[in-house]
Amino acid sequence: MARTPPGGSWEAYADRQIREAQARGEFTGLAGEGQPLPDLHRPRDGDWWIKRKLRDEEFVAVPPALQLRRDVEAARGRIATARTEAAVRSIVDTVNAHIRHANATIVSGPPSTVWPLDVDREVQR
């Protein structure tokens, strides 16, 4: 690819490169072709690209210890609707393995204060 010619403007050079790429069909079949540009109605934001990337990757910025608490609460919800003792024990075993792993490996954020659930107590409930 050639550099801008001496005495030429960057804008004219860029426009020419775009026109030539369009003529070669290099923009055909790209994701979003024919669709309006997303987020045009939003105010300008210099970090738009990183916010979109985080949203697209479903990134959640929750410290591991707090996410563990959310996971335990979700497990308790599943336990409450479980129909058999075997199902309750399976849910408790899964969440307890997650708790033990998190308590052994979490190194950033607040410390975990979550203890494994008592299987028999959860079955009784």
Side-chain angles (χ1 to χ4, degrees), residues 64-73 76 95-96 98-100 102-104 106 111-117:
L66 298 180
Q67 183 61 46
L68 181 60
R69 289 178 187 218
R70 288 180 179 178
D71 295 345
V72 169
E73 288 306 313
R76 284 205 162 117
V95 77
N96 280 349
H98 185 66
I99 291 169
R100 287 185 186 100
N103 286 344
I106 293 175
S112 171
T113 58
V114 179
W115 291 94
L117 302 177

Side-chain angles (χ1 to χ4, degrees), residues 29-124:
L30 295 176
E33 180 180 14
Q35 300 295 318
L37 294 174
D39 302 330
L40 278 182
H41 64 284
R42 294 180 185 237
R44 275 193 174 290
D45 182 1
D47 295 329
W48 65 269
W49 60 275
I50 190 67
K51 290 176 183 175
R52 181 181 299 156
K53 180 69 173 168
L54 293 174
R55 183 185 67 221
D56 292 348
E57 296 293 327
E58 298 178 3
F59 177 79
V60 179
V62 176
L66 298 180
Q67 183 61 46
L68 181 60
R69 289 178 187 218
R70 288 180 179 178
D71 295 345
V72 169
E73 288 306 313
R76 284 205 162 117
R78 291 191 308 277
I79 289 168
T81 61
R83 299 196 180 269
T84 66
E85 179 179 335
V88 171
R89 289 184 181 279
S90 174
I91 295 167
V92 172
D93 287 345
T94 300
V95 77
N96 280 349
H98 185 66
I99 291 169
R100 287 185 186 100
H101 174 74
N103 286 344
T105 59
I106 293 175
V107 293
S108 64
S112 171
T113 58
V114 179
W115 291 94
L117 302 177
D118 183 314
V119 177
D120 294 326
R121 184 178 295 157
E122 295 301 326
V123 168
Q124 228 174 25

